[in-house]
Amino acid sequence: DTLRCFHEFSENVIGMREFSFLRFTLLFFVWILNFHLSIVNCQIISKLHLDNESSRTIVSRIKVSGNRTTKDFIVAREMSFRVGDTIQIQRLENLIKESESNLINTSLFNYVKVEFYPIDSIYTEVKITVTERWYIWPIPVFQYADPNFNTWWQTKDFTRTNYGLNLKWLNFRGRKEELNVKIQFGYLKDFGFNYYIPYLTKKRRLGGGLSVFYNQNNEFTVGTINNKRIFYTGSHDVSRDQFHAIAYT
């Protein structure tokens, strides 16, 4: 009996050792597997982060809508990128904000929206939507020739008034040019023309303009006697003609 009990005890001890060893082996294998998976996961995350940093897209086309007057090249000039440019994906948001700000600062538009539309994994199309401002401003001219309204009111002489029209045309020809024309009759005849071109060269870095003015006075003040003005009137009721022509860049 003693031998039999000792034999059974020995078998139980050996069985427990075998079970412990098997359990230890299994736990060690699981730990090795988890460690390997964590390393692989870190590598994947690192690769995804690197891909996100280095992923780029190519601007294949820039489409402008809403510009019924403004030429496309005027809009494209204010963009922070060009067709064919390779852009990092992470910079798109900043480039959109910068381009929208540039377009608003031209004072040509009331509303600007820049959007990117991926065509595939490589190429992207850019859509620009704008709402143009009103560019033609006719401003009527009506002035009294006397120093102030009270002086004019004493005589109520309408021959001593100036009347006409001042036309201001912004974004002329849709090229961001400015045209000003003034036509004035009455006591002081005044005619003026001003034409400004912002881009004279192909690189569109140099601008210039031309101004031509002509005015004619029937009379002008030469002094005062007893607080009353003394006027000089030349022959043919014309005392002074002035003509100016200026070209500038």
Side-chain angles (χ1 to χ4, degrees):
D1 292 337
T2 304
L3 293 175
R4 184 174 56 82
C5 290
F6 178 77
H7 180 71
E8 291 178 355
F9 175 77
S10 299
E11 289 180 349
N12 290 334
V13 170
I14 294 172
M16 290 179 63
R17 288 180 178 178
E18 291 177 351
F19 176 76
S20 299
F21 178 76
L22 180 62
R23 183 180 179 185
F24 173 79
T25 303
L26 182 61
L27 291 176
F28 181 76
F29 176 77
V30 171
W31 181 82
I32 291 296
L33 180 62
N34 287 336
F35 180 74
H36 177 72
L37 290 176
S38 63
I39 293 177
V40 172
N41 190 40
C42 290
Q43 291 176 346
I44 292 174
I45 294 174
S46 177
K47 184 176 184 302
L48 289 175
H49 180 71
L50 181 61
D51 290 343
N52 185 59
E53 291 288 332
S54 60
S55 60
R56 293 174 172 84
T57 186
I58 299 175
V59 179
S60 62
R61 181 186 178 190
I62 297 179
K63 183 179 180 182
V64 186
S65 62
N67 56 326
R68 288 183 287 183
T69 299
T70 309
K71 302 297 183 182
D72 286 355
F73 74 86
I74 294 295
V75 178
R77 185 182 184 278
E78 303 300 328
M79 305 303 293
S80 299
F81 47 84
R82 302 287 183 267
V83 173
D85 284 358
T86 302
I87 303 173
Q88 290 185 352
I89 299 297
Q90 63 175 0
R91 294 189 59 216
L92 288 182
E93 185 176 353
N94 291 334
L95 291 176
I96 288 175
K97 292 180 179 180
E98 184 178 323
S99 299
E100 289 177 346
S101 178
N102 291 343
L103 288 170
I104 287 294
N105 289 338
T106 62
S107 300
L108 298 179
F109 311 106
N110 288 322
Y111 170 83
V112 174
K113 182 67 175 179
V114 179
E115 298 172 296
F116 280 76
Y117 292 95
I119 299 175
D120 50 33
S121 60
I122 299 177
Y123 295 100
T124 297
E125 180 178 292
V126 180
K127 182 179 180 182
I128 306 170
T129 305
V130 298
T131 301
E132 294 180 321
R133 308 179 89 176
W134 186 257
Y135 300 127
I136 303 175
W137 297 94
I139 304 173
V141 176
F142 184 81
Q143 304 168 331
Y144 42 82
D146 292 300
N148 53 65
F149 178 76
N150 291 332
T151 302
W152 178 82
W153 188 252
Q154 292 176 2
T155 60
K156 303 180 182 65
D157 185 2
F158 279 93
T159 62
R160 298 184 62 81
T161 58
N162 305 316
Y163 53 88
L165 182 69
N166 191 357
L167 177 64
K168 189 172 186 179
W169 194 332
L170 305 175
N171 199 21
F172 182 62
R173 300 197 305 156
R175 298 171 179 266
K176 204 181 175 182
E177 302 169 351
E178 293 184 14
L179 175 66
N180 289 278
V181 178
K182 183 178 183 180
I183 301 175
Q184 178 180 297
F185 299 96
Y187 182 79
L188 172 63
K189 296 177 177 61
D190 193 3
F191 305 96
F193 171 84
N194 181 65
Y195 184 35
Y196 173 70
I197 304 175
Y199 311 121
L200 290 173
T201 62
K202 284 187 176 182
K203 293 184 178 180
R204 301 188 178 98
R205 295 179 180 176
L206 178 66
L210 175 66
S211 296
V212 179
F213 295 97
Y214 170 77
N215 58 64
Q216 181 186 94
N217 281 10
N218 293 333
E219 60 183 15
F220 60 90
T221 304
V222 294
T224 59
I225 298 178
N226 296 327
N227 294 326
K228 290 185 178 181
R229 292 184 299 161
I230 305 300
F231 297 99
Y232 168 79
T233 302
S235 59
H236 305 291
D237 294 330
V238 176
S239 60
R240 182 170 60 186
D241 284 331
Q242 289 183 321
F243 177 81
H244 303 277
I246 303 173
Y248 56 91
T249 57

